[in-house]
Amino acid sequence: MAWEEELFGVLDELEQQAEALYDAERAPELADRSRAEYQTVPLVARLMASVDLEVALGVTGVGRVAGRLDRVAATWCVVGGAGRDWVVRLAAIAAVEGASPRAVPEVAWSPVTRLGVGSALRRLADEGERCVAHRLDGGRHDGVVRRVGQDFVELDQGDPPRPVLIALDALAAVRSE
């Protein structure tokens, strides 16, 4: 029986070597597949997985916005911290620190995530709080959100209040006061 055990040992060793060679040949293919799959992951999917985490966003026209990522929608997010909430358009985000290493696929998103930034701004209008609207070009407007149109937000600023209309495409973020 010793020769049979020796034969099976040699065969096991050959099988392990064959598996190792197969794995070594497949590794680059798997890496390529992984890279190809990852290139389809959008920033919003990473942000969806980062809800309730402390993050820091580099926002065009604003700078660093840090706090807890409270909500993410398809085109905007809410970052809360230090008694102030930020509504940030995803198109204005240049960098994210502290994001989850995971991503949430679009099929798993809540239907509420399909709401546009106008929905968040309408909520600010309902609350009547003072806020600061930051534009992508670095300009800012202090006031109260009054109404939200299809592609703009109306702020009352000054005393007496004067309306200013800000195109949503030019808006980077809005900070509640």
Side-chain angles (χ1 to χ4, degrees):
M1 285 280 224
W3 68 271
E4 289 176 340
E5 288 176 10
E6 191 174 313
L7 177 62
F8 284 127
V10 169
L11 291 175
D12 282 342
E13 187 176 323
L14 287 174
E15 188 175 325
Q16 288 173 359
Q17 288 176 4
E19 283 179 17
L21 285 172
Y22 178 74
D23 289 345
E25 288 176 4
R26 267 194 79 200
E29 177 186 340
L30 291 175
D32 285 345
R33 276 191 194 171
S34 176
R35 279 192 293 274
E37 274 301 307
Y38 194 72
Q39 74 183 10
T40 66
V41 175
L43 176 63
V44 65
R46 290 288 301 273
L47 291 174
M48 289 282 183
S50 303
V51 170
D52 293 331
L53 295 179
E54 292 293 321
V55 297
L57 307 178
V59 181
T60 304
V62 177
R64 183 179 172 90
V65 172
R68 190 174 79 117
L69 187 60
D70 291 329
R71 175 180 223 143
V72 177
T75 60
W76 55 276
C77 66
V78 175
V79 176
R84 296 179 173 161
D85 289 335
W86 286 86
V87 176
V88 180
R89 287 187 53 241
L90 298 189
I93 295 176
V96 179
E97 297 174 30
S100 168
R102 307 197 62 171
V104 176
E106 189 172 352
V107 296
W109 298 355
S110 160
V112 176
T113 63
R114 310 264 186 272
L115 296 174
V117 70
S119 296
L121 297 175
R122 282 183 198 90
R123 188 170 183 183
L124 286 174
D126 291 344
E127 293 171 4
E129 288 185 35
R130 293 199 59 75
C131 62
V132 180
H134 295 264
R135 296 190 323 246
L136 291 168
D137 65 3
R140 56 183 269 170
H141 303 274
D142 296 36
V144 177
V145 176
R146 286 295 171 215
R147 298 184 289 186
V148 181
Q150 177 181 350
D151 59 354
F152 69 95
V153 59
E154 180 179 334
L155 243 65
D156 276 350
Q157 61 181 13
D159 191 25
R162 297 177 327 278
V164 60
L165 308 179
I166 305 168
L168 293 180
D169 285 344
L171 189 65
V174 176
R175 182 188 75 218
S176 66
E177 290 290 299

